[in-house]
Amino acid sequence: MDITYAAKQYSHAKLIYTTPSHQFPLGTTLSLPRRLALLDWAQQNNAWIFEDDYNSEFRFSSKPIQALQGLDNHQRVIYAGTFSKMMYPGFRLGFLVVPEILSEPFTMMKYYSDSHCGYLEQAALAQFIQEGHYARHVRKIRKICHDRQNAFLSAINLYLPHLFDVQMTDSGIHTVCWVKAGYDIRIILEQCQQLGFGAQPLSRYCIESRNHNAILFGYAAHNENDIISSVKRLSEKLTNLYPT
Ligand SMILES: Cc1ncc(COP(=O)(O)O)c(C=O)c1O
């Protein structure tokens, strides 16, 4: 996020929505100086920052950077976390950490908009956390996803280096691959679909319909062997379509 540009371009903004630990969909991490600049801007403009920390648990090698919420000395940050990724998407539980002044209006809004989160799931999760199982589960899932990401990257490097430039990230549960010149992204996506890949065009996530030749590959739901053999099969299919 270019804070200087955003502050100039949207000088009347009252709220900024951001995913600083893992920008969706490209996967970049907001640096500490930019975090501090954003907090500065929010304080000076009396604006709110909505920090969607939807997958900070999936940081693989580098140290986590402190959340905006933890760096904020002026109560400008509304922090959101979710259990959709670590537990499962249908779990439908998340949480907010809000500045004290917003606590009452948020409680009221929650009551009027959605007063009944599943009690059973909340009680079971609370016990899961209290007994230390959740922290262990996070470590285990993080390692599994890291291994799956490595398997995906190695397979792309081995079988499809002529087709894709990988957008490197050391976090998250998907990887963005840029399609090199000379290849038709629609044909690649069609082949991915036939092979059952979790693949989506990057353009789906653009506000303006720009011609971004990149594909998001989700690998978290597949084991390493399946990932490697699927990339290999994709390369075989594409070799028939694009013989060298
Ligand atoms: C950017 C972003 N924020 C938040 C979430 C989590 O949403 P939920 O807690 O409703 O599953 C996701 C899920 O994929 C996401 O991509």
Side-chain angles (χ1 to χ4, degrees), residues 86-104:
M86 269 298 155
M87 302 308 282
Y88 52 93
F91 201 50
R92 307 311 317 139
L93 284 184
F95 59 92
L96 293 174
V97 180
V98 304
E100 189 126 22
I101 192 174
L102 294 181
S103 174
E104 203 184 315

Side-chain angles (χ1 to χ4, degrees), residues 1 27 91 106 138 173 183 199 204 209 215 240:
M1 181 187 283
F91 201 50
F106 268 68
V138 168
I173 51 178
Y183 295 95
R204 185 173 291 176
S209 82
I215 299 175
N240 293 335

Side-chain angles (χ1 to χ4, degrees), residues 17 19 24 52 54 82 84-85 92:
Y17 166 87
T19 51
F24 188 90
D52 179 2
Y54 71 108
T82 179
S84 288
K85 303 256 184 268
R92 307 311 317 139

Side-chain angles (χ1 to χ4, degrees), residues 16 60 80 121 132 134 138-139 145 151 160-161 169 189 209 235 242:
I16 281 210
F60 300 134
E121 287 84 352
Y134 186 72
V138 168
R139 286 195 294 275
C145 282
L160 290 168
T169 170
L189 282 165
S209 82
S235 113
Y242 291 104

